[in-house]
Amino acid sequence: TIPDLLINVLLVGGFSAALIPEFKRASPEESWCLFVRSSFFVGAVFLLLALLLMMFADKLLFFFSPGFAPHKLQYISSLLRITLLTLPFTALAGVATAFLQSNNRFGVAALGTSIFNLSIIVGLYLMPEKNDIHRITYFVVMGAVIRLLVQYAVVLKFMVPKVKNISFHGQFKVFRRYLEASFSAGCM
C-alpha cells in the first residue's frame, strides 16, 4: 500500500541509516543493548506521538480536509484514531528491521511488509458488508502487531542474556542521525 511504502522509506529507512552502522560497529552485547535502548526510546516517542495525534484527530482532519461534513469528519476521525495505533508498532518494527539487517537477516525484515499487506487483504476478504470500514482498520493494526511479533521472534535469537547495564547514554546522537536520514529521504 502507498502509506506502508511511505512509512518504509521515511521511518524504516531513517532507522536503518541511523542504526545499522551502530549495530555493525558494536560487539554482540553492545549491539543488543543498543537494540533494547532504541526500542524503548522509539516506542515511547512514537506512542506519545500517536496519542497526541489521536487527541487532535478531529482538528487535523478538519485542517487537511475542510470540505467534509461534520458527521463524516467525526466518523473518519474515529477510523484515524484506530489506525494511529499502528504507529508505535511500525516504529518498533523499523528498529527490529535495522537490527535484523545488521545481522544479515534480510528475509524476515523484508517479509514484514508482506505480512502487513496480507492482513489488510484478509480483512477485505472477510468483510461481510462493504460499508464495514472499521473492520479494515482493525486488520491494519493487527498486521502491524503481527509484523512486529514475527520480527521479534527472530530478533530474540540474538538476545544476549544477563546484560549488566543498559544505559541510555548516547541515544540522542542516534536519534539525531535518524532525523537527518528521514529528512533527507523526505526531501527526495
Side-chain angles (χ1 to χ4, degrees):
T1 59
I2 298 296
D4 194 47
L5 175 68
L6 291 173
I7 285 175
N8 278 327
V9 169
L10 297 175
L11 193 68
V12 177
F15 286 140
S16 295
L19 291 172
I20 289 175
E22 296 295 322
F23 287 139
K24 287 282 198 187
R25 202 177 355 249
S27 69
E29 184 176 286
E30 291 169 336
S31 181
W32 179 254
C33 288
L34 178 60
F35 171 74
V36 171
R37 285 193 320 256
S38 299
S39 295
F40 277 117
F41 185 75
V42 165
V45 167
F46 282 92
L47 178 63
L48 289 173
L49 179 63
L51 292 173
L52 187 67
L53 290 171
M54 284 178 193
M55 287 181 1
F56 297 106
D58 295 331
K59 291 173 182 50
L60 286 170
L61 284 172
F62 181 76
F63 178 75
F64 286 111
S65 50
F68 278 108
H71 70 282
K72 289 198 182 223
L73 273 178
Q74 193 172 31
Y75 177 70
I76 295 170
S77 68
S78 71
L79 298 174
L80 178 62
R81 284 186 184 95
I82 296 167
T83 307
L84 282 170
L85 293 171
T86 63
L87 195 56
F89 296 115
T90 302
L92 287 170
V95 175
T97 295
F99 184 80
L100 289 167
Q101 289 176 346
S102 73
N103 287 289
N104 300 322
R105 297 290 192 264
F106 303 106
V108 176
L111 188 63
T113 300
S114 297
I115 291 169
F116 182 77
N117 289 330
L118 188 62
S119 73
I120 296 171
I121 292 168
V122 167
L124 286 169
Y125 180 75
L126 295 177
M127 200 166 73
E129 297 177 25
K130 297 296 178 200
N131 295 331
D132 193 10
I133 301 298
H134 267 92
R135 184 173 293 196
I136 294 174
T137 59
Y138 294 122
F139 277 94
V140 168
V141 174
M142 187 174 69
V145 171
I146 292 170
R147 169 176 45 191
L148 181 64
L149 292 175
V150 167
Q151 289 181 337
Y152 270 36
V154 177
V155 164
L156 289 176
K157 293 178 182 178
F158 294 94
M159 185 172 74
V160 177
K162 298 182 183 178
V163 174
K164 294 174 184 146
N165 182 15
I166 298 179
S167 116
F168 286 85
H169 178 71
Q171 194 65 38
F172 290 104
K173 177 180 77 168
V174 174
F175 190 67
R176 189 191 75 213
R177 265 190 262 142
Y178 158 72
L179 291 175
E180 291 168 356
S182 291
F183 180 74
S184 298
C187 288
M188 294 185 344

